[in-house]
């Protein structure tokens, strides 16, 4: 199949003049897998069409929000209806209560929730709250986890920073990260050692309960439970960053699924149905420290935006229907098994990590359970694989260290087409 990317190439040159790197978020760049990103014209269900008219099965799904696929009728209708009443008021609406009620009912650990505009804002604000609540400064995060681009969290981070090889960002003064401690994901012994030394100074442990930003890495049995126990023992808060996993792995999130109760939970992506959103919530006694009830300041002109609330409500309504998560997991499992078999037939060494509707195919032979094992993956092979898949109409994340996101719109036929493309792409990759 010979695809032409003439217009994308042209527009990329144009974009470079006005937008740093031609993209408004580094993860959209194709630096790790080719030259220029493709520019998107439209989406429908599981597919996207670029400005050259090429159609792809989309496994990025806007990096997670589109769990129903593109242009889901219920979401389109809800946004259109909301739009007709106005775009923003900077004053409360009933929609905010409806979404907050739904989120807190899905997450038993959340008595209250505050809406913000992005996942970055959610984690940044949750940390401020944790520091205010505990009266401590230090935080512990895990290498390869990404929690948005707030200064204190850009330390040994995953996602675009891992892809671009800059896991700790310049522009962040050392004085702003002296309170950030890092540990290896899945290494409870290391966490125990850190806490035995400085546990009394640690305000919070922040973690992705299933890591998605070094590729998909699941917690080993007992890891999250152990973190809950240690944080409790030392009076630190446990923050689950469920910006990816919230409403993706289960009604509620990974915490609900594992039966581990964090003190604060961060959300984003799915709860805004494809419009900008973030949220953080937890126990009432912590949340009521927030202004205007308490002294911890956090605000936002567009927070709780009616269009985002309407889209989020429509998505959650669809996700509340029976069988949704089983169906997502079944499709993704079929893709995971198919990819393993295709790689085996082609003689490619890969490790497929799959959790619910999230999946990463690492070009490495051994198991992947932390940053170190993830980075044994061969990024050159992934690049060749990515390009062959793109040529065959499959749009994968343009980085080895990101997740594939499936949606309810992905069909069995999409999976078959993807696996046929993968059979050829694995051969080209090795
Ligand atoms: N936390 C996690 C786990 C994420 O994956 C991301 C983004 O991908 C964020 C936080 C930041 O969210 P946003 O990009 O909406 O600021």
């Amino acid at each position: 199949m010979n695809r032409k990317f003439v217009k994308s190439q042209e527009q990329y040159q144009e974009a470079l003049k006005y937008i740093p790197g031609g993209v408004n978020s580094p993860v959209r760049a194709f630096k790790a897998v080719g030259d220029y990103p493709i520019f998107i014209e439209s989406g429908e269900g599981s597919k996207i069409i670029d400005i050259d008219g090429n159609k792809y099965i989309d496994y990025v799904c806007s990096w997670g929000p589109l769990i129903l696929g593109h242009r889901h009728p219920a979401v389109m209708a809800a946004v259109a209806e909301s739009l007709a009443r106005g775009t923003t008021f900077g004053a409360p609406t009933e929609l905010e209560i409806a979404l907050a009620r739904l989120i807190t009912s899905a997450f038993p650990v959340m008595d209250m929730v505050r809406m913000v505009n992005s996942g970055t804002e959610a984690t940044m604000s949750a940390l401020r709250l944790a520091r205010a609540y505990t009266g401590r400064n230090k935080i512990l995060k895990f290498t390869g986890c990404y929690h948005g681009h707030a200064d204190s969290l850009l330390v040994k981070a995953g996602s675009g920073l891992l892809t671009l090889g800059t896991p700790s960002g310049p522009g962040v003064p050392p004085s702003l990260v002296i309170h950030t401690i890092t540990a290896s994901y899945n290494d409870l012994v290391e966490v125990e050692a850190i806490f035995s030394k400085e546990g009394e100074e640690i305000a919070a442990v922040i973690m992705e309960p299933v890591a998605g930003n070094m590729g998909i890495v699941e917690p080993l049995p007992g890891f999250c439970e152990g973190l809950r126990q240690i944080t409790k023992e030392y009076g630190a808060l446990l923050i689950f960053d469920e910006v990816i996993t919230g409403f993706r792995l289960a009604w509620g999130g990974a915490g609900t699924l594992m039966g581990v109760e964090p003190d604060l939970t961060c959300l984003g992506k799915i709860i805004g149905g494809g419009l900008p959103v973030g949220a953080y919530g937890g126990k009432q006694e912590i949340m009521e420290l927030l202004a205007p009830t308490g002294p911890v300041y956090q605000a936002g002109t567009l927070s709780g935006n009616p269009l985002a609330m309407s889209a989020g409500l429509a998505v959650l309504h669809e996700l509340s229907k029976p069988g949704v998560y089983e169906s997502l997991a079944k499709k993704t499992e079929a893709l995971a098994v198919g990819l393993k078999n295709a790689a085996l037939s082609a003689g490619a060494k890969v490790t497929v990590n799959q959790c619910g509707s999230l999946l990463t195919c690492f070009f490495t032979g051994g198991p992947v359970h932390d940053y170190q094992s993830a980075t044994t993956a061969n990024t050159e092979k992934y690049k060749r694989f990515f390009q062959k898949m793109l040529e065959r109409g499959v749009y994968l994340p343009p980085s080895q260290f990101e997740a594939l996101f499936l949606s309810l719109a992905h069909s069995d036929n999409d999976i078959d087409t993807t696996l046929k493309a993968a059979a050829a792409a694995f051969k080209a990759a090795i």
Side-chain angles (χ1 to χ4, degrees), residues 118-121 123 146-149 208 213 241 243-244 269 277:
S118 67
T120 295
E121 268 188 70
T123 55
Y146 176 70
H147 304 290
H149 62 90
E208 297 176 66
N213 285 292
D241 178 352
V243 167
I244 286 181
K269 300 194 191 262
V277 92

Side-chain angles (χ1 to χ4, degrees), residues 74-140:
V75 179
M76 301 300 283
V79 174
E81 199 259 333
S82 195
L83 182 64
R85 281 182 276 127
T87 53
T88 175
F89 308 107
T93 64
E94 288 173 316
L95 293 166
E96 293 161 78
I97 314 172
L99 191 56
R101 197 186 290 123
L102 207 50
I103 290 174
T104 53
S105 74
F107 283 84
V109 289
M110 280 198 225
D111 297 330
M112 304 184 110
V113 61
R114 171 59 68 83
M115 296 294 169
V116 288
N117 300 290
S118 67
T120 295
E121 268 188 70
T123 55
M124 186 181 82
S125 311
L127 283 182
R128 182 178 303 149
L129 196 50
R131 283 171 161 149
Y133 180 77
T134 57
R136 302 172 179 180
N137 287 331
K138 293 190 179 178
I139 55 157
L140 189 147

Side-chain angles (χ1 to χ4, degrees), residues 32-33 63 159 162-164 212-216 349-353 359-364 368 373-383 385-386 396-404 426:
V33 290
W63 302 97
S159 188
L162 174 53
T163 305
L164 300 172
N213 285 292
M214 48 182 152
I216 292 303
K349 276 196 190 135
V350 305
T351 296
V352 180
N353 281 2
L359 177 152
T360 301
C361 182
F362 292 97
F363 280 83
T364 185
V368 176
S373 42
T375 50
T376 62
N378 187 318
T379 51
E380 277 307 308
K381 287 183 182 171
Y382 183 79
K383 179 178 177 172
F385 181 71
F386 171 90
L396 298 176
S399 164
Q400 167 68 97
F401 304 112
E402 301 281 5
L404 273 71
F426 278 126

Side-chain angles (χ1 to χ4, degrees), residues 285-303:
E285 65 162 352
I286 306 175
M287 294 304 288
E288 285 199 330
L289 279 182
L290 282 175
T293 325
V296 180
Y297 200 71
Q298 179 272 308
T301 301
L302 294 175
S303 293

Side-chain angles (χ1 to χ4, degrees), residues 59 328-344 350-361 404 406 415 418-419 422 426:
Y59 287 103
L328 275 167
K330 205 170 138 213
K331 268 189 277 200
T332 318
E333 244 167 65
L335 181 60
V337 170
L339 284 172
K340 278 183 216 166
N341 290 339
L344 201 65
V350 305
T351 296
V352 180
N353 281 2
Q354 178 242 330
C355 183
S357 53
L358 298 167
L359 177 152
T360 301
C361 182
L404 273 71
L406 270 77
I415 307 291
T418 305
L419 291 175
F426 278 126

